């Protein structure tokens, strides 16, 4: 709209500008080079790729849409590369036509290519981190494969007596990653694909937090695992456990003696709820446990350990006692 | 409920009755187990698989520990944004050792019911839509059945 007004306003024109103006006026051929005699037959306001999105939005007017056109130097042919819609609330939506996004400018920056590049960079980043996760999972599989095979060959009862916790840690990893991955896809779906902008969030794709991208990468890495043979996936579940080396038998014996010094030697009881070997009862007993998540690094619960308890004299702090003894070489 | 917990409670609180607590029979526990298996989308219906699955998909309650001053079962459940239940179930093992108790009693006497070291406890209600888990070392975990939003719905 502003371009039309500029052409209709008489002013002194330099010779160098006259040549440019002759070319520029060709796009008004549909109206016989007389812009004041009628209206644009498409019904759209228009602006060029040299304009800012703000100018385009202003040209479109509140609630209106302006075509964004591009013209190669020396060419008379104009190509519509997208549109800018003035949302009427201080924001605008820039929509790039498929495959023609390179020409749309936003305040001097190339929005189309910037969004496209960022999208690709993000995808590359996710792919890169996802590959790393996948690689680590494979390494973990290789390290726990013998244990996995041994457990597979056992009956359920035998298996319950084994420390199988490293083999079920990564299923949660999978779910967490997959959920985060889905979340990021939703962010992309609702912002990047439309190149939506506003005064407050000019480049929404940059607002995707790093941790979400990282989580998404984890998700992709683990989603890739889903296509692995089942044996590999089971092996990969050892990611968490594989990070902490299992202590030696002599370390187990030392820790067990310390436990028995607290509660005495007790007969074998029912397995713990997750299958860990347990002695005694819920009143007085002990249990061999693997390292747990969410525990401070130095805590016994963060290592292979024995939990012990004796509540025959009352609850804890009132005659009852409990504790955890790390198993360390 | 373990007999030694009842005895310890009565010894520590003379004149006070142990909170009303109903132990579920085998068929009641089986019905609960199936409901939880469905809620957590467990591919297997045995108790061990379900507790493992629940542990895998639960998330930490913002680092909250049982011993923290801010810890309150009632507040936790309230913060989940679910319908506040009158009664809750307590799973002590693999959904085959379940008690029912009022949430008010659980909130008031939690330290008399959950014993560190020996008890991994799951708390939930009839809906089976959420579970608050307390590990034997006091870590608080939450599960709430997700409402899945698909890409298609975002794209409209």
């Amino acid at each position: 709209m502003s371009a039309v007004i500029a052409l209709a306003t008489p002013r002194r024109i330099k010779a160098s500008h006259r040549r440019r103006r002759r070319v520029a006026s060709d796009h008004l051929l549909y109206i016989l080079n007389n812009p004041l005699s009628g209206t644009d037959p498409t019904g759209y306001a228009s602006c060029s790729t040299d304009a800012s999105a703000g100018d385009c939005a202003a040209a479109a007017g509140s609630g209106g849409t302006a075509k964004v056109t591009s013209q190669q130097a020396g060419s008379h042919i104009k190509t519509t590369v997208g549109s800018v819609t003035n949302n009427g609330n201080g924001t605008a939506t820039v929509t790039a036509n498929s495959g023609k996004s390179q020409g749309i400018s936003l305040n001097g920056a190339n929005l189309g290519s910037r969004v496209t590049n960022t999208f690709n960079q993000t995808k590359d980043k996710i792919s890169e981190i996802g590959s790393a996760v996948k690689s680590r999972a494979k390494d973990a599989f290789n390290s726990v494969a013998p244990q996995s095979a041994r457990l597979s060959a056992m009956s359920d009862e035998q298996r319950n007596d084994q420390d199988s916790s490293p083999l079920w840690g990564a299923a949660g990893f999978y779910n967490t990653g997959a959920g985060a991955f889905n979340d990021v896809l939703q962010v992309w779906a609702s912002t990047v694909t439309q190149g939506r902008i506003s005064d407050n969030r000019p480049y929404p794709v940059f607002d995707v937090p790093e941790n979400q991208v990282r989580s998404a990468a984890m998700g992709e890495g683990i989603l890739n695992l889903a296509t692995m043979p089942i044996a590999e996936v089971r092996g990969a579940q050892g990611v968490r456990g594989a990070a902490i080396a299992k202590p030696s038998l002599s370390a187990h014996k030392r820790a067990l003696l310390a436990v028995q010094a607290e509660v005495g030697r007790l007969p074998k009881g029912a397995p713990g709820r997750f299958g860990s070997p347990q002695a005694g009862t819920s009143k007085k007993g002990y249990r061999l446990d693997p390292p747990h998540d969410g525990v401070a690094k130095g805590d016994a619960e963060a290592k292979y350990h024995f939990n012990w308890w004796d509540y025959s004299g009352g609850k804890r702090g009132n005659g009852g006692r409990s504790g955890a003894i790390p198993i360390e070489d | 409920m373990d007999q030694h917990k009842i005895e310890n409670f009565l010894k520590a609180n003379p004149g006070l009755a142990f909170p009303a607590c109903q132990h579920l029979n085998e068929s009641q526990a089986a019905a609960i187990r199936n409901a939880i298996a469905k809620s957590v989308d467990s591919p297997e219906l045995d108790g061990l698989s379900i507790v493992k699955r629940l542990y895998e998909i639960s998330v930490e309650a913002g680092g909250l520990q049982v011993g923290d001053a801010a810890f309150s079962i009632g507040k936790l459940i309230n913060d989940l944004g679910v319908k506040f239940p009158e009664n809750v179930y307590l799973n002590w093992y693999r959904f085959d050792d379940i008690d029912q108790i009022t949430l008010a009693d659980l909130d008031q006497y939690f330290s008399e019911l959950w014993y560190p070291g020996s008890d991994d406890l799951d708390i939930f209600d009839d809906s089976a839509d959420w579970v608050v888990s307390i590990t034997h070392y006091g870590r608080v975990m939450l599960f709430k059945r997700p409402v899945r939003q698909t890409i298609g719905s975002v794209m409209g």
Side-chain angles (χ1 to χ4, degrees):
Chain A
M1 205 67 85
S2 58
V4 172
I5 293 168
L7 286 168
T9 306
R11 62 174 73 157
R12 293 174 67 86
I13 299 171
K14 286 182 183 175
S16 60
H17 286 179
R18 284 193 202 106
R19 285 192 296 278
R20 203 180 305 159
R21 182 174 162 179
R22 276 200 297 277
V23 173
S25 64
D26 286 344
H27 77 282
L28 298 171
L29 280 175
Y30 72 88
I31 205 161
L32 303 174
N33 279 334
N34 182 357
L36 298 180
S37 67
T39 57
D40 181 342
T42 64
Y44 287 111
S46 68
C47 62
S48 80
T49 53
D50 295 330
S52 74
D55 288 344
C56 288
S62 181
T65 297
K67 285 191 306 185
V68 180
T69 58
S70 171
Q71 187 172 13
Q72 298 288 325
S75 170
H76 292 188
I77 300 170
K78 284 192 166 191
T79 308
T80 301
V81 296
S83 62
V84 173
T85 298
N86 185 328
N87 298 324
N89 60 358
T91 68
T93 300
V94 178
T95 305
N97 287 356
S98 176
K100 298 173 184 173
S101 59
Q102 297 297 317
I104 299 184
S105 299
L106 171 65
N107 297 332
N110 191 319
L111 175 66
S113 70
R114 194 163 180 181
V115 168
T116 302
N117 289 341
T118 306
F119 182 80
N120 287 336
Q121 284 164 11
T122 311
K123 262 187 10 184
D124 289 347
K125 194 172 183 181
I126 283 178
S127 179
E128 177 192 322
I129 303 174
S131 295
V133 171
K134 189 175 173 181
S135 168
R136 280 177 49 201
K138 275 187 172 174
D139 290 346
F141 164 68
N142 290 332
S143 69
V144 299
Q147 185 193 6
S148 182
R150 194 167 54 82
L151 287 170
S152 297
M154 291 176 177
S155 68
D156 283 348
E157 193 175 15
Q158 288 173 318
R159 199 157 37 232
N160 285 345
D161 283 343
Q162 302 296 310
D163 171 21
S164 58
S165 64
L167 300 180
W168 39 264
F173 192 51
Y174 167 86
N175 283 299
T176 307
F181 187 62
N182 195 37
D183 289 346
V184 173
L185 283 180
Q186 288 183 13
V187 171
W188 285 349
S190 62
T191 57
V192 177
T193 53
Q194 290 185 14
R196 191 166 59 209
I197 59 169
S198 73
D199 291 342
N200 294 329
R201 302 182 64 191
Y203 305 106
V205 71
F206 296 147
D207 292 343
V208 178
E210 171 73 15
N211 62 351
Q212 275 193 36
V213 174
R214 209 162 264 282
S215 296
M218 280 171 51
E220 186 172 87
I222 297 299
L223 285 170
N224 287 340
L225 289 178
T227 62
M228 284 183 179
I230 187 66
E232 285 193 38
V233 174
R234 289 185 61 187
Q237 291 177 350
V239 170
R240 185 180 60 172
I244 300 174
K246 204 161 186 174
S248 66
L249 187 60
S250 58
H252 278 80
K253 284 180 178 172
R254 276 198 307 274
L256 184 57
L257 285 173
V259 168
Q260 290 173 346
E262 296 287 351
V263 293
R265 187 169 181 172
L266 299 170
K268 183 177 178 182
R273 113 190 294 219
F274 294 109
S276 297
Q278 187 166 292
T281 63
S282 60
K283 185 176 184 179
K284 185 178 185 180
Y286 48 87
R287 183 181 58 246
L288 171 62
D289 266 358
H292 298 306
D293 293 334
V295 185
K297 201 176 175 185
D299 197 299
E301 298 276 356
K303 304 166 185 172
Y304 284 93
H305 63 281
F306 280 102
N307 281 108
W308 62 269
W309 57 90
D310 181 358
Y311 296 121
S312 51
K315 71 169 187 175
R316 191 180 184 186
N318 197 14
R321 300 178 305 126
S322 67
I325 293 178
I327 305 167
E328 293 173 303
D329 283 304
Chain B
M1 189 64 65
D2 286 329
Q3 187 59 33
H4 68 276
K5 291 182 182 175
I6 299 173
E7 291 167 2
N8 289 342
F9 178 90
L10 297 175
K11 195 167 73 176
N13 303 279
L16 204 61
F18 190 79
C21 193
Q22 186 199 342
H23 189 71
L24 270 56
N25 63 33
E26 203 172 310
S27 64
Q28 289 170 324
I32 293 274
R33 193 161 56 241
N34 288 340
I36 293 287
K38 190 175 174 187
S39 183
V40 302
D41 201 19
S42 173
E44 308 290 339
L45 294 179
D46 64 285
L48 179 58
S49 298
I50 297 168
V51 294
K52 285 181 176 178
R53 170 72 181 159
L54 177 62
Y55 177 77
E56 289 160 7
I57 62 177
S58 294
V59 296
E60 249 188 309
L64 188 65
Q65 290 275 325
V66 168
D68 294 347
F71 175 78
S72 154
I73 284 290
K75 184 175 184 311
L76 256 178
I77 293 172
N78 194 45
D79 289 350
L80 278 175
V82 297
K83 189 181 172 191
F84 206 69
E86 185 181 347
N87 296 309
V88 290
Y89 297 105
L90 310 177
N91 166 44
W92 298 104
Y93 195 55
R94 298 176 181 171
F95 294 99
D96 50 4
D97 179 5
I98 302 174
D99 292 317
Q100 189 182 38
I101 192 171
T102 67
L103 180 54
D105 280 345
L106 177 66
D107 204 21
Q108 185 173 356
Y109 299 114
F110 183 80
S111 66
E112 308 276 357
L113 305 176
W114 173 82
Y115 281 18
S118 62
D119 292 344
D120 286 290
L121 171 65
D122 302 312
I123 304 157
F124 52 97
D125 73 353
D126 279 317
S127 72
D129 279 345
W130 56 268
V131 180
V132 173
S133 300
I134 313 290
T135 69
H136 62 270
Y137 51 100
R139 186 184 183 204
V140 183
M141 309 281 288
L142 303 174
F143 162 76
K144 192 175 174 188
R145 195 205 295 247
V147 180
R148 275 298 197 198
Q149 189 181 13
T150 63
I151 295 292
S153 65
V154 170
M155 295 296 286

